[in-house]
Amino acid sequence: MFKWLKSGAPWIWLTGGAVSISLLSVLGLMLLIGWKGLSYFWPTPLYQWTTEEGQILIGQLYAEEYVPISHLKEMAIPLPAQVKEKGMVKRLSIKVANRDIYPADFISILEIDVLKRSKPKGWAVIERIRGGDFYGFPVAYQQADGSQLTDYQSELERALRYSRTVREEIDHIVTQEIRVISAQADELRLEKRKYDLNDGQDEAFIHRFVAQSNRFSQLLAESEAKLDDLRAKLAKQGLVVKDMTGQQVLIPLSHILDMWYPNQMSLQAKVLHWGEQAWKFLSDDPRESNSEGGVFPAMFGTVLLVLIMSVIVMPLGVIAAIYLNEYAKNTFFTRIIRVAVINLAGVPSIVYGVFGLGFFVYTVGASIDNVFYAEQLPAPTFGTPGLLWSALTLAVLTLPVVIVATEEGLTRIPSSVRHGSLALGATQFETMWRIVLPMASPAIITGLILAVARAAGEVAPLMLVGAVKFASNLPVDTQFPYLHLERKFMHLGFHIYDVGFQTTNIESARPLVYATSFLLVTVIVGLNLTAISIRNNLREKYRTLGQD
């Protein structure tokens, strides 16, 4: 036994077991988040509960939990006489939706109060632009002239296709006409302000400004008239549905996004519906204070932020590591720099956010506005949180990681390689550029992987330097200069925080938190796998160093 302990075999098994437990824990966490998140898009069936008082409830079974009977008695909840003093009672949490009619999205009832549970036929889940989903029994379709069709199914399918076409036309008018005209009008206004600041006296410019201003106003009025006409076409039509109380409600066609019958769907139809809902989640904009709709702006902003941060941090980190390892002598000053770099890796991220707000935004950004955008003041352009300052803040945050990883890679390269290059007549710069850096590239990419893994999930500093709850425009569009670094953006991490803690209906939006969390982890894993594949290719190319 003593020889076995002395051989070191127990420590090998202990280390392997610890690694296995860690991997299983990570895998289990991923499976939990994935199951909770991906099941959000599955068409949950609608149930009908009939209570002893004759009340009828129709909705989705959201959760089940067991509650001690003693707790119910302390809350003065009436219980049937046959219930024992001790024991547990199942409590059902039912999502009844229809929040514009009912006081709450959820109703809790005890299972002992339920006389019957069934799956009613013909009940539909109607996805709306605002107000959340609506659970109801379609009765008729109301046409634009006010007449109602009881044979509504075919007419509703045609109307839904028509509404999608109209919405696409509305989006086209908003993005390609109104926003473009508004941008041109703002440029003209700024040109006029710059002209006034320079005390201009050119009459021709004044006439041109007035003429173009009138033209832009006329174009905006025409575009807005088109929008009003398209919206009016949808508002006059709608679906008449009956809710669980028997009340008939008219849902305008302009509010209906989709409709399905979960109790009548086959397995194939459910899988197809799940795929459609997942795609909507990835491609649509958020609605209802981020508690409904998709997360495309947040996903786009997260990936773009990480890419810009990587472009900034990699040259800075590599240059700093090259200087410390290849050029700087081992003096007291360089030792202080190395200690400072290591200590910076442990600074809380919110401190970097405060630094970014004070230095990048209020100092550098304000100076840029005073020099290049004086005509837009007091409205700031770069002197306000935005994408560029967020990327720079994360670059400073992850800079120590890149420096340490790159310097470790440089120290692994034998000195004989450098001496051989210098002996053949190459300069120190040529040796560094053509020999040392290519051989150290796997370690450099390792630093990038660590930087991406840390930066992609950071939220606290971004709340101060650029991330917002909702951004009306993406940082990338078709207007020059196409990439707008001064704009605010959405981020998946901040989106998770906002949905989980700041929405007005947190309980209803909780499944969306799991779905967004799973998406964020997937994005981070995808970025890391891309960097890992590049590193592996570089390792194969420069295998003389062995494995990093």
Side-chain angles (χ1 to χ4, degrees):
M1 183 66 180
F2 179 75
K3 291 183 179 179
W4 182 65
L5 292 175
K6 191 176 181 180
S7 67
W11 308 115
I12 297 176
W13 284 99
L14 182 61
T15 304
V19 173
S20 300
I21 292 174
S22 301
L23 292 177
L24 290 175
S25 300
V26 173
L27 181 61
L29 179 62
M30 288 290 296
L31 290 176
L32 175 63
I33 297 176
W35 173 258
K36 291 279 190 178
L38 297 179
S39 61
Y40 170 72
F41 310 110
W42 189 259
T44 307
L46 293 175
Y47 292 98
Q48 176 177 321
W49 290 270
T50 304
T51 63
E52 292 183 346
E53 291 81 9
Q55 182 184 12
I56 296 178
L57 298 175
I58 296 179
Q60 296 175 345
L61 181 60
Y62 184 75
E64 297 178 333
E65 61 178 351
Y66 286 91
V67 182
I69 293 178
S70 58
H71 291 183
L72 298 178
K73 290 186 175 182
E74 291 176 0
M75 298 170 62
I77 296 178
L79 298 173
Q82 65 272 20
V83 175
K84 299 180 180 180
E85 292 292 331
K86 297 182 179 180
M88 307 287 286
V89 176
K90 183 185 289 187
R91 182 164 60 188
L92 310 178
S93 178
I94 303 171
K95 182 180 179 180
V96 294
N98 305 9
R99 66 181 64 159
D100 51 348
I101 300 178
Y102 309 145
D105 268 8
F106 296 88
I107 295 178
S108 296
I109 61 172
L110 301 176
E111 192 177 42
I112 56 177
D113 294 333
V114 177
L115 293 179
K116 182 182 178 182
R117 189 180 82 166
S118 61
K119 290 184 179 180
K121 299 294 184 181
W123 283 76
V125 177
I126 303 172
E127 184 182 5
R128 300 184 293 178
I129 292 180
R130 61 179 65 92
D133 293 340
F134 192 97
Y135 304 157
F137 185 86
V139 176
Y141 181 81
Q142 180 171 303
Q143 295 180 312
D145 57 1
S147 60
Q148 294 186 357
L149 300 175
T150 54
D151 185 14
Y152 62 88
Q153 192 62 45
S154 59
E155 182 64 23
L156 179 61
E157 293 177 357
R158 183 204 63 79
L160 288 176
R161 291 193 298 268
Y162 171 72
S163 66
R164 295 189 187 99
T165 303
V166 172
R167 287 194 187 92
E168 291 176 358
E169 190 173 352
I170 290 175
D171 292 339
H172 177 78
I173 293 175
V174 172
T175 56
Q176 302 299 326
E177 293 186 18
I178 293 182
R179 288 183 181 175
V180 172
I181 297 172
S182 299
Q184 294 174 350
D186 288 339
E187 292 179 1
L188 181 64
R189 179 183 58 82
L190 294 176
E191 186 179 356
K192 175 64 167 59
R193 178 169 171 78
K194 183 185 293 186
Y195 174 82
D196 293 338
L197 291 176
N198 295 329
D199 296 329
Q201 301 295 330
D202 189 358
E203 292 294 334
F205 175 82
I206 300 298
H207 289 301
R208 182 173 64 85
F209 170 77
V210 173
Q212 290 186 352
S213 298
N214 294 334
R215 177 173 170 271
F216 288 147
S217 300
Q218 182 180 359
L219 292 175
L220 283 176
E222 293 176 355
S223 298
E224 290 173 357
K226 293 179 184 178
L227 286 181
D228 294 339
D229 182 58
L230 292 174
R231 289 167 179 165
K233 291 179 180 179
L234 295 180
K236 295 177 181 179
Q237 308 177 52
L239 182 66
V240 180
V241 296
K242 180 177 65 174
D243 69 345
M244 64 183 184
T245 64
Q247 177 184 1
Q248 291 191 0
V249 180
L250 173 64
I251 303 179
L253 186 61
S254 58
H255 291 181
I256 301 176
L257 291 174
D258 198 2
M259 187 180 77
W260 62 91
Y261 299 86
N263 295 345
Q264 300 168 219
M265 298 175 69
S266 62
L267 179 60
Q268 182 180 1
K270 290 183 178 181
V271 172
L272 181 61
H273 176 82
W274 178 88
E276 292 176 352
Q277 293 298 111
W279 174 250
K280 288 181 181 179
F281 175 73
L282 296 175
S283 59
D284 287 354
D285 293 339
R287 307 187 309 271
E288 289 289 306
S289 187
N290 290 342
S291 62
E292 302 282 348
V295 293
F296 175 75
M299 181 176 62
F300 184 87
T302 303
V303 175
L304 182 61
L305 173 68
V306 172
L307 293 178
I308 296 176
M309 180 274 300
S310 302
V311 171
I312 295 173
V313 74
M314 286 304 295
L316 295 177
V318 172
I319 292 174
I322 291 175
Y323 172 77
L324 292 175
N325 191 80
E326 301 293 332
Y327 293 95
K329 297 180 180 179
N330 188 16
T331 62
F332 176 77
F333 179 70
T334 57
R335 288 195 295 270
I336 290 296
I337 292 178
R338 286 191 173 92
V339 172
V341 169
I342 296 173
N343 290 335
L344 282 176
V347 174
S349 59
I350 189 65
V351 176
Y352 286 100
V354 175
F355 167 77
L357 181 65
F359 179 71
F360 291 131
V361 177
Y362 292 152
T363 303
V364 179
S367 301
I368 293 175
D369 285 349
N370 291 330
V371 175
F372 298 102
Y373 300 96
E375 68 277 4
Q376 297 191 19
L377 294 175
T381 302
F382 281 93
T384 184
L387 178 62
L388 176 61
W389 309 135
S390 299
L392 286 172
T393 301
L394 290 185
V396 174
L397 187 148
T398 57
L399 186 61
V401 177
V402 178
I403 293 176
V404 172
T406 304
E407 195 170 2
E408 289 180 355
L410 292 173
T411 56
R412 290 185 181 184
I413 300 176
S415 299
S416 59
V417 175
R418 298 178 177 85
H419 295 162
S421 176
L422 295 174
L424 292 174
T427 63
Q428 187 175 7
F429 176 79
E430 291 174 338
T431 300
M432 180 62 55
W433 182 255
R434 298 189 177 185
I435 305 297
V436 177
L437 275 183
M439 297 177 71
S441 56
I444 297 174
I445 301 299
T446 300
L448 175 62
I449 294 171
L450 297 175
V452 169
R454 183 179 181 188
E458 287 292 346
V459 179
L462 300 180
M463 297 171 65
L464 299 175
V465 292
V468 292
K469 177 186 179 73
F470 180 77
S472 58
N473 296 322
L474 292 175
V476 177
D477 57 21
T478 57
Q479 300 177 16
F480 184 82
Y482 311 118
L483 176 60
H484 303 273
L485 297 177
E486 77 282 0
R487 289 183 183 174
K488 295 178 176 60
F489 65 98
M490 297 181 66
H491 189 272
L492 284 175
F494 185 75
H495 188 83
I496 294 170
Y497 163 76
D498 180 70
V499 174
F501 299 97
Q502 301 296 318
T503 55
T504 56
N505 197 347
I506 296 177
E507 190 68 25
S508 178
R510 182 179 298 172
L512 190 62
V513 174
Y514 288 102
T516 310
S517 301
F518 184 73
L519 177 61
L520 176 59
V521 174
T522 304
V523 169
I524 295 175
V525 171
L527 292 172
N528 286 338
L529 288 178
T530 302
I532 289 172
S533 63
I534 297 174
R535 182 186 64 183
N536 292 339
N537 291 333
L538 293 174
R539 277 180 175 173
E540 292 295 329
K541 187 175 181 180
Y542 304 102
R543 184 172 285 278
T544 55
L545 292 180
Q547 298 296 323
D548 287 329

